[in-house]
């Protein structure tokens, strides 16, 4: 079914698709329209701007995001430098769809403010129906909602691409979104923008995760880089204290598994061998930098000698440290 409402009333099309039981209406977009109309009981013809929270509420929401919000700021600025001149703004929300940070070019500020794409506005699906922020939160996956794919008629002049961000506890924290009010921008470049925004969201996750575990060493799980940030935080006792959402998924870790010996976490066939190889390489690099001096290598890694010896034995490294001789 063609989802475009330009040849007829957009609101009528939304109602028709949302209420249909035909196979043509069983798409992700149709499901979002259905939630908006039948579950949230929203009116696609409503014309008011999104709800706007006070500055105090926004500040408290940012504080709850903690280091994630601070980590996101330079990444958002970098994304804006890439897409701002094309008429896009970049938004960071919390898990409720509240915009806590918004960057854009000054020449476009008025048009975005008139459409409610501004700090303090709430773009949850429960409030605004299908949109790049709210639907991303509802489905916890990257989404692109282009123009008349929006639920509300008044939002059909916009296009939005959002990617979810998960915190160090693997909980949904918010959305990083790029929005545009220029038809030609998203129509031609939505896939490219989706890649940029997804990579930026994963960078924010990675940096925030590392900041949340400053005294741990960070190991990369096999899935890291392919679909996002798959990281483990391991302390000096070889206990896993933290794992990103993707790491938990790729290693099939149950809820509430922490803390857990890293050897248990790694006991998953090829995943185990991949991560053990990564740990072995980490030890070899530290020992190589200190010319095989175990005490110095332990200090560099922030662990005790006994712990380092234990890790070396597990990695199959001899106490003499097996490295290729350097050329003099």
């Amino acid at each position: 079914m063609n989802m475009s409402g330009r040849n007829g009333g957009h609101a009528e099309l939304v109602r028709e698709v949302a209420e249909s039981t035909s196979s043509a209406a069983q798409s992700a977009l149709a499901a979002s329209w259905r939630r908006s109309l039948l579950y949230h009981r929203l009116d696609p013809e409503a014309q008011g701007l999104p709800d706007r929270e006070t500055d105090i509420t926004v500040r408290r929401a940012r504080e709850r995001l903690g280091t994630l919000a601070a980590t996101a700021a330079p990444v958002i600025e970098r994304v804006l430098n890439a897409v701002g001149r094309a008429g896009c703004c970049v938004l960071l929300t919390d898990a409720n769809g509240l915009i806590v940070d918004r960057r854009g070019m000054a020449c476009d500020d008025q048009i975005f403010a008139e459409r409610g794409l501004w700090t303090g506005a709430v773009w949850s699906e429960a409030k605004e129906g299908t949109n790049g922020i709210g639907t991303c939160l509802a489905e916890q996956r990257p989404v692109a909602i282009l123009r008349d794919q929006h639920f509300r008629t008044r939002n059909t002049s916009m296009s939005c691409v959002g990617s979810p961000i998960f915190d160090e506890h693997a909980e949904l924290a918010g959305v990083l979104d790029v929005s545009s009010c220029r038809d030609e921008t998203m129509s031609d470049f939505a896939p490219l923008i989706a890649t940029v925004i997804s990579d930026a969201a994963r960078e924010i996750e990675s940096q925030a995760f590392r900041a949340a575990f400053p005294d741990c060493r960070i190991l990369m799980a096999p899935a890291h880089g392919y679909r996002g940030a798959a990281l483990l935080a391991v302390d000096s006792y070889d206990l896993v204290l933290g794992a990103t959402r993707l790491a938990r998924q790729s290693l099939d870790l149950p809820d509430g598994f922490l803390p857990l010996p890293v050897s248990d976490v790694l006991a998953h066939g090829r995943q185990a061998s991949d991560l053990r190889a990564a740990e072995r390489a980490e030890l070899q690099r530290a020992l190589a930098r200190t010319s095989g001096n175990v005490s110095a290598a332990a200090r560099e890694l922030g662990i005790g000698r006994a712990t380092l010896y234990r890790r070396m034995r597990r990695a199959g490294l001899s106490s003499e440290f097996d490295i290729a001789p350097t050329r003099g």
Side-chain angles (χ1 to χ4, degrees), residues 219-221 272-285 311:
L219 298 182
M220 293 184 291
S273 64
D274 286 347
L275 279 174
R276 285 197 180 98
E279 182 174 28
R280 179 186 173 92
E282 178 190 28
L283 297 177
Q284 287 178 315
R285 286 192 296 269
R311 290 178 59 189

Side-chain angles (χ1 to χ4, degrees), residues 108-325:
D108 295 318
D109 281 355
Q110 182 175 350
I111 190 169
F112 285 123
E114 290 172 351
R115 285 161 174 75
L117 289 169
W118 208 259
T119 305
V122 180
W123 281 88
S124 66
E125 197 175 73
K127 294 284 189 179
E128 290 300 310
T130 307
N131 70 85
I133 293 170
T135 303
C136 179
L137 288 170
E139 300 186 359
Q140 298 192 19
R141 65 175 182 86
V143 301
I145 303 298
L146 310 181
R147 296 180 70 81
D148 48 19
Q149 293 177 339
H150 282 84
F151 176 80
R152 292 200 192 278
T153 301
R154 65 167 169 78
N155 293 333
T156 58
S157 63
M158 300 183 292
S159 292
C160 310
V161 178
S163 185
I165 298 175
F166 296 88
D167 65 17
E168 68 272 19
H169 305 297
E171 299 291 336
L172 181 64
V175 168
L176 188 65
D177 173 90
V178 168
S179 292
S180 172
C181 295
R182 299 183 190 177
D183 188 22
E184 68 277 7
T185 299
M186 289 296 193
S187 297
D188 296 334
F189 300 109
L192 176 60
I193 291 176
T195 299
V196 170
I197 204 70
S198 181
D199 289 347
R202 301 296 78 79
E203 181 182 351
I204 293 169
E205 282 186 3
S206 295
Q207 292 185 14
F209 183 79
R210 293 173 187 276
F213 298 97
D215 298 324
C216 289
R217 69 183 190 276
I218 305 298
L219 298 182
M220 293 184 291
H224 184 75
Y226 296 105
R227 293 183 289 120
L231 303 174
L232 300 172
V234 182
D235 71 3
S236 60
Y237 298 101
D238 283 349
L239 295 176
V240 177
L241 300 186
T244 62
R245 180 173 183 264
L246 183 56
R248 296 173 191 233
Q249 291 175 339
S250 65
L251 293 169
D252 195 26
L253 299 176
D255 292 338
F257 78 96
L258 302 172
L260 195 67
V262 68
S263 57
D264 292 356
V265 172
L266 303 185
H268 293 281
R270 173 159 177 78
Q271 292 175 336
S273 64
D274 286 347
L275 279 174
R276 285 197 180 98
E279 182 174 28
R280 179 186 173 92
E282 178 190 28
L283 297 177
Q284 287 178 315
R285 286 192 296 269
L287 288 162
R289 282 193 291 267
T290 60
S291 300
N293 186 314
V294 174
S295 296
R299 287 194 298 272
E300 179 174 314
L301 292 170
I303 59 178
R305 279 173 54 92
T307 299
L308 179 53
Y309 275 121
R310 185 169 63 251
R311 290 178 59 189
M312 289 171 63
R313 287 194 297 271
R314 186 174 63 239
L317 296 174
S318 71
S319 59
E320 301 299 325
F321 181 47
D322 181 22
I323 61 172

Side-chain angles (χ1 to χ4, degrees), residues 43-58:
D43 179 3
E45 296 180 279
Q47 293 299 310
L49 288 174
D51 290 348
R52 185 84 175 268
E53 297 291 353
T54 65
D55 292 344
I56 293 177
T57 300
V58 173

